[in-house]
Amino acid sequence: MTATSPGKIIHSLPPLLFPLLHAFICMPLLGWIAGFFYLDNSKAFLWGAIGFAWGLVSAIAIQWWLRKFLSRHSKFIRFTSLSCIVLFEIALSIFFIGPSIWLFINFTPRDNQHSICCETPLDYGATRYNNIRITTGDGATIAGWYVAPTTQAGKVIILIHGYGYDRRGTDFQTRLLLAAGYGVLLYDLRNHGESSGKINVFNRMEIYQSDLSQVVNYLKQKPEVNPGKIAVVGISLGAFTTLNSSTETLNDFAALWLDGLRFENFFAQEPVHTLKGFTDALIDRQVRRLAGIFYQQPITPAPPLFTQIIAQIKRPPLMLVASGLDEGERQLNEKFIPLMGGNKSIWFIDNAWHIGGRFEVPQEYGDKMLDFFARALAD
């Protein structure tokens, strides 16, 4: 039996083998990058298809170029050259192209500033209110409404809306709290509604919690407010914002009602036990490294996991409200169950989507929330 040379083996391979392999390598790379960007499987599929097409066309071009300019060399040399090109492209995609595209698309969050009209706390049951404008240390303006407590002397609840909305996004909870006599302060998150100020994708949680501290300080200057009776209602991004406060700030609140923790804390690094976890951690480090090169803005360290944060909440009663129909939200909040007990509770609303409990079970939602604050803020 005669041995077959590597050149003959390679020569016998189908001409489209390299383009197809290259296309199947590029497809998951771009699909994974898009999924990392958007957390959206439909966009990941679209970019995966684009990656496949790009990989196929570029591989045909590469193969043609090698055959033209390396025609005098053996098939084995051309095969080795193609293999090196593929490995180089994979490394380039993971360490530079992917992170650079991610930064280009995501470094500056979408501007959600817009005017607010035709609705005020008077529509929610207040008899009077104050427009507030708080200027932060970096010159941003935090806009909102403040209504002083009526029958619940000294007790004020800060309401923080979700992503893309403004202070009006907490109208359901505000109506209930005003009717029960509590004071309320509703404000627009930075870069939302009528609040201004710059943020980037890495420092926004730190900036949001700094703005929240400014709001708390504003309340503590009010003579009618008891500093020990300030609570928070956080909806979706408002819940993220609240939990990213310092441990000292969290434990200084009188109560925390957080509805809609949909996924893990932004950029928090879970222990690496899988290939996906390893690649996520790898690209996160590389993105931060490139951000420090490309942009002259603070790049904050990765934040702690929510399990770590929640475990540190010792003083205020905490109620987590979670969707039963949103699979990702339910699975995340199920991780918190071992932390419940004592001052911490969790409520899964089985037939609700993300922050939809107020629509699906409005009576139960209102009763639970008012009972929670009555107990937490009792004199």
Side-chain angles (χ1 to χ4, degrees), residues 179-209:
Y182 293 102
V184 295
L185 191 152
L186 294 69
Y187 74 97
D188 300 331
L189 287 167
R190 180 181 292 234
N191 205 39
H192 285 72
E194 295 177 339
S195 291
S196 64
K198 294 182 179 180
I199 52 175
N200 65 54
V201 72
F202 296 106
N203 75 2
R204 59 178 173 164
M205 288 297 108
E206 184 178 62
I207 296 295
Y208 286 155
Q209 67 90 5

Side-chain angles (χ1 to χ4, degrees), residues 83-133:
S83 300
C84 290
I85 288 171
V86 170
L87 293 173
F88 173 75
E89 285 182 336
I90 292 173
L92 189 65
S93 298
I94 292 175
F95 291 102
F96 185 77
I97 295 175
S100 297
I101 294 173
W102 193 96
L103 284 171
F104 177 77
I105 295 174
N106 293 283
F107 186 78
T108 301
R110 190 183 75 185
D111 186 352
N112 290 296
Q113 293 184 67
H114 53 265
S115 61
I116 293 176
C117 78
C118 316
E119 199 170 314
T120 72
L122 300 180
D123 299 293
Y124 306 154
T127 57
R128 62 175 61 89
Y129 71 98
N130 297 113
N131 284 306
I132 63 172
R133 295 291 186 273

Side-chain angles (χ1 to χ4, degrees), residues 159-219:
L159 296 105
I160 314 175
H161 62 82
Y163 176 77
Y165 292 90
D166 55 57
R167 69 194 91 153
R168 296 170 297 179
T170 56
D171 62 318
F172 175 86
Q173 292 87 352
T174 301
R175 292 174 195 273
L176 292 168
L177 294 170
L178 287 175
Y182 293 102
V184 295
L185 191 152
L186 294 69
Y187 74 97
D188 300 331
L189 287 167
R190 180 181 292 234
N191 205 39
H192 285 72
E194 295 177 339
S195 291
S196 64
K198 294 182 179 180
I199 52 175
N200 65 54
V201 72
F202 296 106
N203 75 2
R204 59 178 173 164
M205 288 297 108
E206 184 178 62
I207 296 295
Y208 286 155
Q209 67 90 5
S210 176
D211 294 342
L212 174 56
S213 294
Q214 298 259 11
V215 170
V216 171
N217 289 336
Y218 169 86
L219 284 176

Side-chain angles (χ1 to χ4, degrees), residues 74-353:
S74 71
K75 298 288 185 180
F76 183 74
I77 292 176
R78 293 208 297 268
F79 177 79
T80 303
S81 300
L82 291 174
S83 300
C84 290
I85 288 171
V86 170
L87 293 173
F88 173 75
E89 285 182 336
I90 292 173
L92 189 65
S93 298
I94 292 175
F95 291 102
F96 185 77
I97 295 175
S100 297
I101 294 173
W102 193 96
L103 284 171
F104 177 77
I105 295 174
N106 293 283
F107 186 78
T108 301
R110 190 183 75 185
D111 186 352
N112 290 296
Q113 293 184 67
H114 53 265
S115 61
I116 293 176
C117 78
C118 316
E119 199 170 314
T120 72
L122 300 180
D123 299 293
Y124 306 154
T127 57
R128 62 175 61 89
Y129 71 98
N130 297 113
N131 284 306
I132 63 172
R133 295 291 186 273
I134 301 172
T135 301
T136 66
D138 65 347
T141 297
I142 304 302
W145 294 319
Y146 168 66
V147 181
T150 52
T151 60
Q152 300 285 349
K155 303 170 185 177
V156 178
I157 298 170
I158 301 169
L159 296 105
I160 314 175
H161 62 82
Y163 176 77
Y165 292 90
D166 55 57
R167 69 194 91 153
R168 296 170 297 179
T170 56
D171 62 318
F172 175 86
Q173 292 87 352
T174 301
R175 292 174 195 273
L176 292 168
L177 294 170
L178 287 175
Y182 293 102
V184 295
L185 191 152
L186 294 69
Y187 74 97
D188 300 331
L189 287 167
R190 180 181 292 234
N191 205 39
H192 285 72
E194 295 177 339
S195 291
S196 64
K198 294 182 179 180
I199 52 175
N200 65 54
V201 72
F202 296 106
N203 75 2
R204 59 178 173 164
M205 288 297 108
E206 184 178 62
I207 296 295
Y208 286 155
Q209 67 90 5
S210 176
D211 294 342
L212 174 56
S213 294
Q214 298 259 11
V215 170
V216 171
N217 289 336
Y218 169 86
L219 284 176
K220 288 182 176 180
Q221 305 308 311
K222 294 284 185 182
E224 71 274 15
V225 176
N226 181 341
K229 298 292 184 181
I230 298 174
V232 175
V233 169
I235 306 298
S236 193
L237 181 58
F240 280 74
T241 296
T242 305
L243 281 180
N244 275 281
S245 298
S246 68
T247 302
E248 180 183 3
T249 299
L250 285 171
N251 283 301
D252 195 43
F253 287 119
L256 302 167
W257 177 279
L258 305 179
D259 183 348
L261 290 174
R262 196 174 191 181
F263 38 80
E264 187 52 82
N265 204 5
F266 296 105
F267 300 111
Q269 292 299 312
E270 298 190 61
V272 176
H273 300 301
T274 65
L275 177 61
K276 182 181 183 302
F278 173 78
T279 53
D280 285 349
L282 178 67
I283 198 170
D284 179 74
R285 286 195 295 271
Q286 187 63 11
V287 165
R288 290 175 182 277
R289 189 176 294 114
L290 291 176
I293 297 172
F294 295 158
Y295 298 94
Q296 301 300 314
Q297 295 184 38
I299 309 300
T300 59
L305 297 165
F306 279 140
T307 49
Q308 296 170 311
I309 294 173
I310 291 171
Q312 297 301 313
I313 299 176
K314 304 297 184 183
R315 175 179 173 266
L318 167 69
M319 172 62 82
L320 298 176
V321 182
S323 157
L325 296 179
D326 187 312
E327 184 177 355
E329 182 171 331
R330 188 185 69 252
Q331 289 179 352
L332 172 69
N333 282 268
E334 285 172 349
K335 294 181 181 179
F336 307 145
I337 292 176
L339 302 174
M340 297 299 105
N343 64 321
K344 305 181 185 80
S345 303
I346 190 166
W347 176 29
F348 290 93
I349 306 178
D350 294 334
N351 60 332
W353 290 98

